[in-house]
């Protein structure tokens, strides 16, 4: 049964984890990739993936724990390497997506028509993402299709060097960002929704002062933040899970899965609706993890084993 509890005052592990990205290396990767093409840039990724598998033991243990759950077998070094390489590939591909180089990718969309139709019925829709695949593929689809506007609510502190580099690649790409953790965040999100935007946020990691709810995920109870769902309930919009799964090579699948419609939920029924929505979200995440198991990019103890 789901239980609600506040998180400890200390920062969660994913926020405490030392950022390993190096600004000079990132800028070098950008130059190599844009100067010599995606295939040459991907050669460097193999060395980066090998480095992290060898010299990031905590991340390697977290990867092995997750992969054991989703694969149903022992995850070896090859699995860990493939896991990290998938993550590195999605980061690398952001260089091209942020520069509107959609021509180098094969992106297949599932469930997009239903989501867009729901957003037309009542302006705007909320998209709950996760650290699963590439969220940037959604923004690429938005920029590539006339009339589809996308804004993202982001917590940027843990990847400030990477975001600074990507902003330098294409300043326009950093527009339509709503900063989380500010008093006016929900008002900005409401205004974007009223303008017909799709407003996305990641709902699988909690901040230090956020409350969480415990639901089943991949066979074991796990805590998910309540904040995004409370905001969704107050904004009274339809909510979809969004995930851009990386399938290898230049292939992505963009999935939209209906979760709930808070526009039909009265105040007295919000708590129950939120609990059900979070479990539906976790179940849908699990299904996508089974479909593309090397796309889950939470390299810390997600299940908080003691």
């Amino acid at each position: 049964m789901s239980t609600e509890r506040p998180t400890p005052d200390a920062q969660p592990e994913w926020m405490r984890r030392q950022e390993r990205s190096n600004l000079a290396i990132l800028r070098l990767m950008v130059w190599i990739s844009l100067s010599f093409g995606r295939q040459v840039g991907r050669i460097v990724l193999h060395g980066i993936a090998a480095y992290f598998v060898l010299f990031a033991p905590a991340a390697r243990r977290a990867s092995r724990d997750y992969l054991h759950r989703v694969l149903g077998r022992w995850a070896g070094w090859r699995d860990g390497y493939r896991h990290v390489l998938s993550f590195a590939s999605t980061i690398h591909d952001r260089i091209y997506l942020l520069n509107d180089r959609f021509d180098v990718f094969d992106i297949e969309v599932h469930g997009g028509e239903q989501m867009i139709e729901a957003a037309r019925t009542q302006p705007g829709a909320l998209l709950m993402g996760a650290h699963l695949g590439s969220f940037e593929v959604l923004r690429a689809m938005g920029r590539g299709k006339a009339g589809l506007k996308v804004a993202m609510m982001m917590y940027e502190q843990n990847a400030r060097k990477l975001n600074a580099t990507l902003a330098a690649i294409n300043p326009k790409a950093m527009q339509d960002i709503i900063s989380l953790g500010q008093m006016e965040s929900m008002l900005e999100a409401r205004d974007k929704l009223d303008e017909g935007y799709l407003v996305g946020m990641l709902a699988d990691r909690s901040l230090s002062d956020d409350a969480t709810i415990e639901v089943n995920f991949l066979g074991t109870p796990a805590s998910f933040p309540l904040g995004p769902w409370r905001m969704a309930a107050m904004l009274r919009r339809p909510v979809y899970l969004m995930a851009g799964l990386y399938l290898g090579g230049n292939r992505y699948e963009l999935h939209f899965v209906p979760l709930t419609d808070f526009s039909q939920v009265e105040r007295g029924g919000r708590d129950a609706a939120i609990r059900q929505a979070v479990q539906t979200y976790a179940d849908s995440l699990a299904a996508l993890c089974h479909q593309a198991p090397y796309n889950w990019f939470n390299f810390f103890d997600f299940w908080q084993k003691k």
Side-chain angles (χ1 to χ4, degrees):
M1 181 175 179
S2 299
T3 58
E4 178 181 340
R5 60 179 176 82
T7 56
D9 292 335
Q11 288 184 327
E13 182 183 351
W14 71 268
M15 293 177 65
R16 298 195 307 268
R17 185 69 57 80
Q18 181 180 0
E19 186 179 345
R20 289 176 174 265
S21 59
N22 182 284
L23 190 58
I25 294 176
L26 289 171
R27 291 190 182 277
L28 176 62
M29 277 297 301
V30 170
W31 179 79
I32 291 173
S33 300
L34 294 181
S35 299
F36 301 103
R38 185 171 178 269
Q39 293 304 316
V40 174
R42 283 181 61 81
I43 294 174
V44 183
L45 294 185
H46 291 275
I48 294 174
Y51 170 84
F52 277 94
V53 169
L54 292 172
F55 298 108
R60 186 172 65 247
R61 287 192 297 270
S63 170
R64 184 183 297 123
D65 177 46
Y66 157 73
L67 289 172
H68 174 72
R69 296 170 187 272
V70 74
L71 296 175
R73 59 171 174 80
W74 174 256
W77 286 91
R78 181 177 296 180
D79 293 301
Y81 175 80
R82 184 176 176 184
H83 192 191
V84 176
L85 182 62
S86 294
F87 175 56
S89 296
T90 63
I91 296 297
H92 180 236
D93 285 343
R94 291 180 72 183
I95 294 172
Y96 300 96
L97 294 168
L98 287 166
N99 280 277
D100 297 336
R101 288 293 312 278
F102 313 128
D103 57 295
V104 302
F105 299 106
D106 176 9
I107 302 175
E108 186 176 337
V109 182
H110 298 268
E113 296 80 3
Q114 181 182 358
M115 180 271 301
I116 294 172
E117 184 59 33
R120 287 173 179 162
T121 303
Q122 179 178 357
L126 287 164
L127 305 177
M128 294 295 184
H131 292 80
L132 177 72
S134 171
F135 205 97
E136 190 60 43
V137 174
L138 169 65
R139 297 183 67 205
M141 188 186 77
R143 290 194 299 272
K145 289 191 175 184
L148 185 58
K149 299 175 292 185
V150 180
M152 295 176 63
M153 305 190 76
M154 295 178 59
Y155 183 79
E156 298 179 86
Q157 178 180 335
N158 205 47
R160 58 190 181 277
K161 293 180 181 178
L162 178 59
N163 284 328
T165 303
L166 295 176
I169 298 169
N170 184 357
K172 294 180 181 180
M174 301 309 292
Q175 295 177 358
D176 293 330
I177 300 295
I178 302 170
S179 296
L180 286 171
Q182 300 181 8
M183 292 294 293
E184 63 271 19
S185 297
M186 189 172 72
L187 296 178
E188 290 184 38
R190 181 200 63 190
D191 291 343
K192 290 293 186 184
L193 290 167
D194 289 343
E195 294 172 21
Y197 274 72
L198 305 175
V199 175
M201 66 188 90
L202 303 180
D204 57 336
R205 293 182 186 176
S206 62
L207 303 182
S208 58
D209 58 349
D210 202 0
T212 62
I213 185 169
E214 199 170 75
V215 298
N216 182 72
F217 177 56
L218 290 174
T220 307
S223 294
F224 289 86
L226 271 171
W229 303 96
R230 288 172 171 168
M231 182 182 297
M234 288 187 285
L235 290 170
R236 297 178 63 83
R237 287 303 201 284
V239 183
Y240 286 77
L241 168 65
M242 194 294 299
L245 300 181
Y246 175 64
L247 304 182
N250 70 337
R251 296 177 55 230
Y252 284 86
E253 281 187 358
L254 186 55
H255 290 261
F256 297 96
V257 182
L259 299 176
T260 190
D261 187 351
F262 283 113
S263 66
Q264 307 300 319
V265 177
E266 299 299 327
R267 183 184 297 270
R270 282 182 182 174
D271 288 346
I274 287 173
R275 288 176 179 273
Q276 181 58 53
V278 178
Q279 184 62 72
T280 303
Y281 169 80
D283 292 342
S284 300
L285 277 183
L288 291 174
C289 285
H290 283 294
Q291 179 176 336
Y294 300 98
N295 273 242
W296 177 253
F297 301 142
N298 283 302
F299 294 98
F300 64 94
D301 184 8
F302 191 83
W303 285 266
Q304 296 294 305
K305 300 186 304 300
K306 304 300 182 183

